[in-house]
Amino acid sequence: MSTRYLSTQEYDGELRTERAYVAGLYARLDAERARAKAQYEAALGATGTGPMERDVRVRASDREVKRLKVADNGLCFGRLDSLSGDRSYIGRIGLFDEENGYAPLLLDWRAPASRAFYVATAASPEGMRRRRQFHMRGRRLVDYTDEVLGRPGGGERGDAALLAALDAPRGEGMRDIVATIQAEQDEIIRLDHPGVVVIEGGPGTGKTVVALHRVAYLLYTRRERIERNGVLVVGPNPAFLDHISRVLPSLGESDVVFTTTGGLVPGLRVTAEDGPEAARHKGSLRMLDVLAAAVADRQRLPEEPVPVDLADVTVRIDAGTAGWAREEARASGLPHNEARAVFTEIVTYVLTERAATRIGRGWLTIADGAGRAQLVADLRKELAGDDAFAAAIEALWPVLTPEALLATLYESPERLRAAGADPSLARADGAAWTVSDVPLLDELVDLLGRDPAAERAARRATTAGQRAEAEYAAGVMEILTLDHEEMDEDVLLAADDLLFAEDLADRFVEQDTRELAERAAADRDWTYRHVVVDEAQELSEMDWRVLMRRCPSRSFTVVGDLAQRRSPAGATSWATVLEPYVPGRWAYRSLTVNYRTPAEIMSVAAALLAELAPGVRPPESVRAVGVRPWSRRVTADDLPAAVAEFVRDEAGRPGTSVVIGPPGVPGAVPPSGTKGLEFDAVLVVEPERILADGPRGAAELYVALTRATQRLGVLHREPLPPALAGLDALGSPAGAAPA
């Protein structure tokens, strides 16, 4: 525990001094906020600058306003005294005394000089004599604790603050841990590694919040490199993303996109769920061959020659012509839709040469090269406008979209067989998208490419619109232009002396004022400078291809626990999924201390883990709460009332609670919906049914048992599984969870 070594009188005097210093920091913060707000308002109303320069100034000042806004809660949380007598105050952001050479008044927790606040111990003091931790209530310092470093008896840093934070009731979202970062967490947060960092840890080890603080640290140390493209955070479900979404903004970072794997293709709605077999097949890299074969299957040869009637002759697209065109188009290496131009060009060449030979027979000689060239040009033009020719090209080499190709593949057993796909992929509604379809659709974007004709039409529409805007602006200028004869020549000034029509038109063009995160989330081709992947053990091989495309620099923080894997297509080892993309460029770090789950609950979960993953050691809990988990056997008729009793009892306590159970239990959330979340109290209903789902069920039950930070109860209809024998059997849940 931390040690206070001052007398009461000395302590009170120090408390008054520290309160005055903290009050001064808040005064400085308020002044900085007022200055930043004034700069923001000035940037909004700036004149005499170009739109781009103005936009840069507005965004920079807005970012500064946001940075200062989040600092109010827990601005300063401690002080370091070095052996040389220097004092450093540590806080959420950095503040400086501009009048005294920018001397630091408050060090940002991410600054190198702040590191000792988190890692110094009695055995390794890092050149520090004392660490002081502040306990704040709003803006007021109410207490502090001191820890003497570099001598026996100093103890581990921050036990009091850490345990207070862990025992506090849970709110609606995850909290940052800047005031209570532990040494093993700090080492990962500040790890200087250019590739992929894997953080593995059991439930409650804080791996998610460590990953988010690592992002904040990287943005602090590499801001210019990262903030232009932003950061992507991928989580298992929307509830989890909502739970963690406050952490980075609380640290002053907002250029972050939060999404699930189902949201990696903008605009796609996931409405269905695959069975285990279909999910396993879709997640395999073998789907690359299936998709390529499905595209190739749509590049057809005519079974019978297709006639095309021109003005003077009828020509036919036969299998030989189409086959040659198909070979040339495939050999071009272009995506399907773009290679269509090659296919069309070859077919056009063959048909026009044949037509020219037949039409010119008897009057067009070989020597008349110019005449033949003109005839061929006329025939090409006629073919280009021929509806039958266009329909034939569309039938043999259609323009495809990812959604249309994949939907028709799923709906057709014949197409599935032709592509070499497993029959489990068949479904009646091909467009009922699942999470496992997302990487396949994303892959098809690159396999199919853009539709050149549609892009040309869009460009023509844009050009026409710009021309119309310029013409409109020119008319406005004509109206604004004053009659020169009616003006004094000393003040003579016409509108076109100041503006060109195009300049005025630009003022009517809608500017993209969205924040970076909004623009990135809506753009499938956006690439990020860093990606965080949580619950990464659930991602398939195909999922990893999508993520690697989103981050060409291969800068990742990967968070997971292989023992909790429930997806049949998920990772069985980190090397398997990472080595193909970053060979030798990934580092592994593990967290071994459980900060969330109390020892009483972890002992129950550990027994299940021993059966689920015999070689995995459970994380060690840092605290006990004095409340043992309980179980109660009920009948089917009594179950609803027992659940309602738990909900009613917990409603009267501070904090959060949840009921977790299999499908069909009223009011229960499935275990997969609580991954990464934490609650003060958890009721697990019918664990025997959850466990009956094989290896996936065991992983889900392990997740369910490790969500509670204070109280755990279990209701079961069948006998408890042997792994849960450590639960106290009680007659009623009311007596099982004392306040």
Side-chain angles (χ1 to χ4, degrees):
M1 296 293 291
S2 301
T3 305
R4 180 184 298 164
Y5 62 93
L6 300 175
S7 67
T8 300
Q9 186 176 4
E10 289 173 323
Y11 169 78
D12 290 342
E14 285 280 299
L15 182 60
R16 286 192 295 270
T17 300
E18 299 291 29
R19 280 177 174 169
Y21 191 88
V22 171
L25 292 177
Y26 274 109
R28 171 73 61 170
L29 175 66
D30 291 338
E32 290 287 315
R33 282 177 171 172
R35 178 186 58 80
K37 184 178 180 181
Q39 289 180 342
Y40 176 69
E41 292 173 349
L44 282 176
T47 58
T49 60
M52 184 172 295
E53 180 183 349
R54 175 179 172 274
D55 185 62
V56 170
R57 290 177 57 188
V58 168
R59 290 183 184 276
S61 55
D62 180 54
R63 187 162 49 245
E64 180 67 2
V65 168
K66 290 178 178 177
R67 184 183 79 90
L68 296 170
K69 182 179 180 181
V70 302
D72 203 78
N73 183 25
L75 173 62
C76 178
F77 38 79
R79 188 183 99 186
L80 278 173
D81 295 355
S82 70
L83 293 174
S84 62
D86 295 330
R87 290 182 178 179
S88 300
Y89 287 84
I90 314 300
R92 191 172 293 275
I93 64 171
L95 293 175
F96 303 90
D97 186 351
E98 299 177 7
E99 298 176 357
N100 291 289
Y102 285 88
L105 301 173
L106 183 67
L107 288 176
D108 191 298
W109 67 274
R110 296 166 287 193
S114 300
R115 185 172 183 271
F117 189 78
Y118 300 108
V119 302
T121 65
S124 179
E126 302 283 327
M128 298 297 149
R129 180 174 62 88
R130 174 172 58 185
R131 174 173 36 227
R132 174 169 289 177
Q133 283 189 284
F134 293 162
H135 308 284
M136 305 290 297
R137 184 174 298 129
R139 288 190 166 201
R140 179 177 173 78
L141 174 62
V142 297
D143 188 16
Y144 69 83
T145 54
D146 279 344
E147 182 182 355
V148 178
L149 301 168
R151 70 183 191 186
E156 285 298 322
R157 200 275 317 166
D159 285 350
L162 174 64
L163 292 176
L166 296 177
D167 286 333
R170 265 48 190 173
E172 293 184 356
M174 180 179 284
R175 298 167 290 191
D176 65 62
I177 58 168
V178 288
T180 58
I181 293 172
Q182 302 301 290
E184 71 167 359
Q185 298 172 329
D186 186 80
E187 186 269 334
I188 297 173
I189 290 171
R190 298 175 192 267
L191 182 62
D192 184 16
H193 190 278
V196 177
V197 174
V198 176
I199 307 173
E200 183 162 31
T205 54
K207 53 188 180 292
T208 296
V209 75
V210 167
L212 296 175
H213 283 67
R214 175 170 164 76
V215 169
Y217 176 75
L218 291 175
L219 284 166
Y220 177 80
T221 56
R222 308 176 191 173
R223 185 168 299 280
E224 290 186 1
R225 291 179 53 196
I226 294 179
E227 71 175 353
R228 188 180 297 109
N229 291 74
V231 174
L232 174 67
V233 177
V234 180
N237 54 60
F240 172 82
L241 293 177
D242 181 64
H243 179 63
I244 69 171
S245 63
R246 299 167 181 83
V247 174
L248 283 170
S250 77
L251 299 173
E253 307 299 348
S254 58
D255 291 337
V256 180
V257 174
F258 293 89
T259 187
T260 64
T261 53
L264 289 172
V265 174
L268 188 76
R269 289 187 65 245
V270 173
T271 60
E273 184 175 352
D274 281 315
E277 192 67 11
R280 184 173 65 83
H281 284 288
K282 289 182 181 181
S284 168
L285 289 180
R286 190 180 175 282
M287 284 302 299
L288 296 175
D289 295 331
V290 171
L291 295 177
V295 174
D297 185 52
R298 304 300 294 273
Q299 301 163 355
R300 311 301 296 271
L301 302 181
E303 296 180 1
E304 299 290 338
V306 180
V308 179
D309 296 323
L310 301 178
D312 298 315
V313 68
T314 296
V315 290
R316 288 173 172 78
I317 306 175
D318 54 31
T321 299
W324 177 33
R326 184 171 71 176
E327 288 179 11
E328 293 293 330
R330 289 176 176 176
S332 71
L334 294 171
H336 169 86
N337 290 334
E338 296 167 37
R340 172 180 160 120
V342 178
F343 180 84
T344 304
E345 176 60 29
I346 297 296
V347 174
T348 299
Y349 168 78
V350 172
L351 296 190
T352 54
E353 287 297 319
R354 288 177 180 172
T357 298
R358 292 170 59 185
I359 293 172
R361 185 176 295 133
W363 64 270
L364 189 63
T365 66
I366 297 177
D368 189 5
R372 184 177 179 85
Q374 183 60 51
L375 177 59
V376 168
D378 292 342
L379 288 169
R380 288 178 67 89
K381 184 176 181 180
E382 187 178 356
L383 267 182
D386 188 88
D387 291 340
F389 179 72
I393 294 296
E394 181 63 24
L396 299 176
W397 197 287
V399 173
L400 299 172
T401 65
E403 292 82 1
L405 176 67
L406 201 58
T408 55
L409 177 67
Y410 291 151
E411 292 171 356
S412 170
E414 293 79 13
R415 290 191 188 278
L416 285 171
R417 281 195 299 271
D422 189 89
S424 64
L425 272 57
R427 66 187 186 214
D429 184 358
W433 305 119
T434 70
V435 170
S436 301
D437 292 327
V438 171
L440 309 186
L441 291 167
D442 193 74
E443 195 76 36
L444 284 169
V445 171
D446 290 342
L447 280 176
L448 298 177
R450 310 298 182 185
D451 178 1
E455 292 189 343
R456 285 195 298 271
R459 284 196 298 270
R460 285 196 297 269
T462 301
T463 302
Q466 291 173 339
R467 189 182 302 115
E469 288 167 353
E471 291 172 356
Y472 172 76
V476 173
M477 290 175 62
E478 185 177 348
I479 295 172
L480 293 175
T481 301
L482 300 178
D483 188 338
H484 290 198
E485 296 180 356
E486 296 179 3
M487 297 184 63
D488 189 293
E489 63 180 12
D490 292 334
V491 297
L492 184 61
L493 192 65
D496 54 8
D497 291 323
L498 298 176
L499 293 170
F500 293 103
E502 290 82 0
D503 296 330
L504 186 59
D506 285 343
R507 298 189 178 189
F508 294 93
V509 177
E510 183 178 354
Q511 301 295 321
D512 190 346
T513 58
R514 295 174 298 172
E515 295 291 334
L516 179 143
E518 294 178 89
R519 289 182 283 126
D523 186 355
R524 181 263 174 187
D525 294 323
W526 191 279
T527 57
Y528 298 87
R529 291 294 301 198
H530 191 77
V531 176
V532 176
V533 187
D534 209 323
E535 299 293 343
Q537 74 277 356
E538 306 296 347
L539 270 61
S540 70
E541 294 174 309
M542 292 297 293
D543 289 326
W544 282 106
R545 285 180 61 85
V546 180
L547 293 176
M548 292 298 170
R549 279 195 288 270
R550 298 297 190 272
C551 187
S553 64
R554 304 291 195 261
S555 177
F556 281 74
T557 300
V558 175
V559 181
D561 179 11
L562 295 177
Q564 295 187 57
R565 178 178 69 90
R566 63 181 293 274
S567 169
T572 55
S573 77
W574 301 118
T576 301
V577 295
L578 296 177
E579 277 294 324
Y581 303 103
V582 284
R585 283 190 58 223
W586 62 282
Y588 176 86
R589 296 292 185 273
S590 63
L591 294 170
T592 59
V593 179
N594 190 326
Y595 299 101
R596 176 180 68 212
T597 316
E600 296 92 341
I601 295 176
M602 197 61 214
S603 65
V604 175
L608 176 63
L609 181 64
E611 293 188 6
L612 169 64
V616 178
R617 182 179 178 181
E620 182 179 353
S621 298
V622 299
R623 79 197 217 284
V625 293
V627 178
R628 288 194 56 80
W630 56 268
S631 68
R632 177 186 174 192
R633 188 170 184 179
V634 295
T635 65
D637 293 337
D638 293 337
L639 181 61
V643 172
E645 183 180 359
F646 168 83
V647 173
R648 185 172 58 252
D649 289 345
E650 290 300 332
R653 292 187 170 100
T656 59
S657 62
V658 69
V659 178
I660 303 176
V665 176
V669 178
S672 59
T674 63
K675 295 203 76 170
L677 307 182
E678 57 183 31
F679 307 88
D680 290 272
V682 171
L683 179 67
V684 179
V685 181
E686 296 192 89
E688 64 277 16
R689 285 180 55 197
I690 299 174
L691 197 58
D693 196 11
R696 182 171 73 166
E700 292 206 331
L701 182 55
Y702 182 59
V703 168
L705 294 174
T706 54
R707 299 304 96 194
T709 65
Q710 302 288 339
R711 301 175 294 279
L712 172 67
V714 172
L715 294 176
H716 58 106
R717 291 196 296 164
E718 301 298 326
L720 276 178
L724 302 186
L727 289 166
D728 284 346
L730 299 174
S732 69

